[in-house]
Amino acid sequence: MVVLALVGAAVWWFGIRDASAASAAPVTRTVAASLTTMQKSVSGSGTLTPSVQQDVSFEVSGTVTGVPVAVGQSVTVGQTLATVDTLQLNADLLQAKATLASAQAKLDDASGTAQIAAAQAQVDVAQSGVDTAQAAMDGATLTAPVAGLLTAVNLEVGDAVGSSSAPSGSGGETTAQFTIVGTDAWQVDVTVSDADIALIEVGDQAEVTLDGATEPVFGTLSEIGLLSTSDTGVAAYPVTVAVTGDQEGLHDGVAAEVELVYERRTDVLTVPSLAITTATDGTTTVKQVDAAGTTVDVPVTTGETSGNVTEITEGLAEGDEVVLATFTPGSGGTGRQGTTQDGGGTFPEGGPPAGFDPTQMQGGQTNG
C-alpha cells in the first residue's frame, strides 16, 4: 500500500502536475488603438412639449356668424377659424371715412398757418379713426396665426364676443376661444445646476432620449434662462432645447433625458482604459507583443478619459495592438495553485517527503 501510494504521488508530481502547469500558460487578448469621438456633456431631465401652443380669440365685438372648424382639426396659417357679424363694424368704418373726408375738406380750405396746422391735426385724428375701424372690420374674420392642431374650440354660432361678452373662465379669467398646438416643432425644458450652467451656451448640440424610445433624437440648446430657481435648495437655471432631429411619433408630455454636449472632439486616438498601467512614479505604459512574441511595456502619454476608453496623445498610432488582459486558467478560488483547502501544502522540490502518509490527501478539495 505504501509503495502504491508513493507511485501515485510520483505520477502526479511528474506527470499531471507538469501538464497542469503547461495548460496554465498566460492567455492574452489584444485590441487595436482606434480613432473615436470624445465628448463632454451636462445631463438633465425634462418633458417634451410642442414649441407652438397659441391661444387665439376675437379682438372685436360682435355676434358669431360662423365657426368652420372643430377640435382635432389641423389648420394652416391664415385659415379662417370664425367670423362675426360685420353690420355694425361696416357702419363704424363708413362713419370714420366720412369724418376723414370732412377733415380733409377743411384742410384744403385752410389759408393761414394756424388754420392749416389745426386742420392737419383733425385729418390725422380722422385717419387714425379710419385705420382703427378698418382693423376692426378685418378682425371680423379670425384666422389661424400659426399652423397646427386645434385642441380647443370654445365658440359657437350665435355667441357674443368682444368687450360686451362676460368672462367664461374661472376666477374671472377669460378662456381662449381657440387653442392651436404645433405638431412639427418640439422642445424640452431642462433645469441645469448653477455649477454646470457656465459650461453650456446657446447653440450647443443636445441628445434627447425619450421615455420608452430606443434611439435618441437630436436638438440644439435654444435658450438659457437668466433667472435661477432654487426649489431644491440648489440654484439652477431653466434651459430650452429645440428638437431638430426626426420628429415622427413625438407626443406631448413624454419624459425626456437630455445630454447637453458642450465639447466634442473627433478622430481621437484611444485604447481601452484597462490596457493602461500607471506606475507609482507616474509613468504610464501599455503592453504590446513584439515580433518574437514577447510582451513588452511601451511608454505612452494619455489625455482625457471618457467612459471605458482613454485618449493616447503619444506613443501609439492607429491600429497598434495593445494587450487588453492577461489571465491564467485555473487561477481562481483561493488563488494558490497546487494546494489543498484544509491545511495541506505543496510538496518540496524533489518529490514527496520521507514517511509521506497518503491519508493526508483525504478530505481536502484540490485547488488547481
Side-chain angles (χ1 to χ4, degrees):
M1 292 293 291
V2 173
V3 171
L4 290 176
L6 292 175
V7 171
V11 170
W12 176 86
W13 182 260
F14 294 106
I16 299 176
R17 172 183 174 276
D18 290 344
S20 299
S23 65
V27 177
T28 62
R29 182 164 66 96
T30 59
V31 175
S34 59
L35 298 179
T36 187
T37 297
M38 298 185 72
Q39 65 183 34
K40 296 180 180 180
S41 62
V42 172
S43 301
S45 59
T47 303
L48 184 69
T49 58
S51 299
V52 175
Q53 185 166 338
Q54 189 161 340
D55 292 336
V56 185
S57 297
F58 276 108
E59 295 183 358
V60 298
S61 299
T63 302
V64 177
T65 58
V67 183
V69 293
V71 172
Q73 179 179 337
S74 295
V75 295
T76 58
V77 175
Q79 182 173 340
T80 298
L81 302 178
T83 57
V84 296
D85 181 23
T86 61
L87 183 61
Q88 183 60 50
L89 297 174
N90 188 51
D92 293 341
L93 178 58
L94 291 176
Q95 180 61 48
K97 288 182 176 180
T99 302
L100 175 60
S102 176
Q104 186 64 53
K106 291 180 180 180
L107 176 61
D108 294 341
D109 294 338
S111 58
T113 302
Q115 289 181 343
I116 293 175
Q120 182 62 56
Q122 291 179 353
V123 168
D124 294 340
V125 171
Q127 182 62 57
S128 177
V130 170
D131 293 341
T132 300
Q134 184 63 58
M137 188 68 179
D138 295 339
T141 300
L142 186 64
T143 60
V146 294
L149 185 71
L150 280 170
T151 60
V153 176
N154 300 308
L155 208 59
E156 296 179 353
V157 173
D159 287 348
V161 298
S163 59
S164 60
S165 60
S168 56
S170 61
E173 297 180 359
T174 303
T175 300
Q177 294 161 1
F178 298 89
T179 299
I180 303 175
V181 172
T183 57
D184 57 357
W186 299 85
Q187 67 184 38
V188 180
D189 294 324
V190 184
T191 301
V192 177
S193 68
D194 181 60
D196 293 332
I197 197 66
L199 299 174
I200 60 176
E201 60 183 12
V202 172
D204 285 347
Q205 293 184 347
E207 297 179 3
V208 181
T209 302
L210 301 174
D211 187 24
T214 57
E215 296 294 333
V217 295
F218 300 94
T220 57
L221 200 165
S222 60
E223 184 179 353
I224 299 176
L226 298 178
L227 300 178
S228 66
T229 59
S230 56
D231 293 340
T232 60
V234 178
Y237 292 83
V239 170
T240 301
V241 173
V243 177
T244 58
D246 183 12
Q247 301 186 13
E248 293 293 330
L250 301 187
H251 302 284
D252 185 17
V254 177
E257 296 295 327
V258 181
E259 292 290 331
L260 301 170
V261 181
Y262 61 87
E263 181 180 315
R264 175 180 279 126
R265 294 186 295 139
T266 59
D267 295 333
V268 180
L269 185 66
T270 62
V271 297
S273 300
L274 291 176
I276 299 173
T277 301
T278 303
T280 55
D281 61 356
T283 303
T284 304
T285 60
V286 296
K287 293 184 181 299
Q288 288 187 291
V289 179
D290 61 15
T294 304
T295 301
V296 296
D297 290 331
V298 177
V300 294
T301 302
T302 60
E304 297 180 350
T305 296
S306 177
N308 59 357
V309 297
T310 298
E311 176 185 9
I312 302 297
T313 58
E314 292 182 8
L316 294 177
E318 181 184 6
D320 288 348
E321 298 280 343
V322 298
V323 176
L324 178 61
T326 301
F327 62 96
T328 303
S331 60
T334 63
R336 296 176 295 164
Q337 295 186 6
T339 68
T340 60
Q341 293 182 351
D342 60 348
T346 58
F347 288 131
E349 195 68 30
F356 167 70
D357 183 357
T359 61
Q360 294 176 351
M361 300 296 294
Q362 299 177 0
Q365 295 181 349
T366 303
N367 180 19

